[in-house]
Amino acid sequence: MLSRLPAFLAVSFLVLALPGCQPPPPATAPAAPLAVVSPLPADLAAALDAFRAEGPKGWAFTQSTTGGGRDRVERYDPSRRGPARWTLLSEKGRAPTETEQQRYRDTRPPFDAAANLASQLDRASATLVARDGQSATYEFALVPAGEHDTAAAHMRARFTQDAATGAFTRVELFNFQPFKAATSLTIQEARTTLLYAPPSGGRPALPLETSLHVRGTRFWLSNFHQEVVSKFSDQADMSAAAAGAHSPSP
């Protein structure tokens, strides 16, 4: 499971590994093919190799999540150890009691686990979706997570790279056609979007917002729709703080 990104974002990555996916409903006619980018530009390959969906190591942040029945504000501090790295600041507008704080920390993982999305990309499938003077957007097919993963065939990832810095400012994971995640569950739409502030003033690219949109059908009759958004603020380099040079992001 992911520990530095909201749980809903973990779900969007884990859908790629759902076993036993059934054949999808009939797809609409495919769009005109995009030009394949081969080989990858050196700066794009380097950025993918270094990409961390959850942001750079050593940075603290405040995460505010709304939607899907949640209204939560929490603080992550990598200078602390284990579950104590996470502090629940408020739940539905109310500060937690000591008991609630402990219960919250008991749900936190003892170690961080990175979401290695870049390793799921089929780099040979890269196509150029858009380019202007400020950025370029590339689309990738996804590599199945295992022999039972048939969801990946219906998903794509798009990375928007800032021309000035080479950093990614937007990453999207989405399905391009409906598919059955289980016998009783059909995913019509699923899109996770990650937004980043480009590097500036000596600091690296930092997460700004993640959002999840999911729409589907359960048991052929019950429709569901969920929107969840997490925003990140008060980011600070705690590795610099440990060295006596605390530097919150602008």
Side-chain angles (χ1 to χ4, degrees):
M1 295 293 292
L2 311 183
S3 59
R4 292 188 58 201
L5 290 174
F8 73 79
L9 185 56
V11 172
S12 69
F13 289 118
L14 291 176
V15 73
L16 301 179
L18 286 172
C21 293
Q22 305 298 315
T28 57
L34 301 171
V36 175
V37 179
S38 181
L40 292 185
D43 63 334
L44 174 60
L48 289 173
D49 290 342
F51 177 69
R52 285 173 51 87
E54 48 281 295
K57 291 182 179 180
W59 281 74
F61 57 84
T62 296
Q63 175 178 304
S64 303
T65 303
T66 57
R70 299 183 66 185
D71 182 359
R72 171 180 287 183
V73 181
E74 48 202 325
R75 180 73 180 170
Y76 174 80
D77 182 351
S79 68
R80 308 182 78 175
R81 297 177 64 85
R85 292 168 301 176
W86 287 93
T87 299
L88 180 62
L89 301 181
S90 69
E91 185 83 52
K92 297 184 177 178
R94 182 180 62 82
T97 65
E98 291 186 11
T99 299
E100 289 168 336
Q101 185 72 255
Q102 186 58 54
R103 186 181 303 124
Y104 163 82
R105 284 182 169 155
D106 287 344
T107 68
R108 301 296 89 188
F111 303 103
D112 282 339
N116 193 8
L117 175 58
S119 69
Q120 295 177 264
L121 304 179
D122 177 2
R123 298 194 185 189
S125 72
T127 56
L128 180 64
V129 176
R131 184 193 295 275
D132 57 29
Q134 286 72 49
S135 65
T137 299
Y138 300 91
E139 182 172 303
F140 300 85
L142 295 169
V143 177
E147 61 178 322
H148 300 296
D149 175 14
T150 57
H154 314 295
M155 307 290 290
R156 293 290 185 268
R158 285 186 176 179
F159 283 68
T160 298
Q161 186 178 30
D162 179 55
T165 64
F168 297 119
T169 56
R170 183 184 184 95
V171 175
E172 295 177 275
L173 179 67
F174 61 94
N175 69 311
F176 62 90
Q177 60 184 190
F179 66 95
K180 281 189 173 294
T183 301
S184 60
L185 175 62
T186 298
I187 302 297
Q188 300 291 343
E189 297 180 44
R191 181 179 296 269
T192 297
T193 304
L194 301 85
L195 303 178
Y196 301 87
S200 176
R203 66 155 175 77
L206 296 173
L208 290 176
E209 179 180 301
T210 63
S211 61
L212 172 70
H213 165 84
V214 178
R215 181 175 64 85
T217 305
R218 294 190 185 96
F219 300 105
W220 305 278
L221 296 174
S222 176
N223 295 327
F224 66 90
H225 178 209
Q226 188 171 36
E227 302 272 356
V228 185
V229 176
S230 277
K231 296 185 177 182
F232 301 88
S233 61
D234 302 323
Q235 292 159 318
D237 185 357
M238 301 310 292
S239 60
H246 180 77
S247 56
S249 64

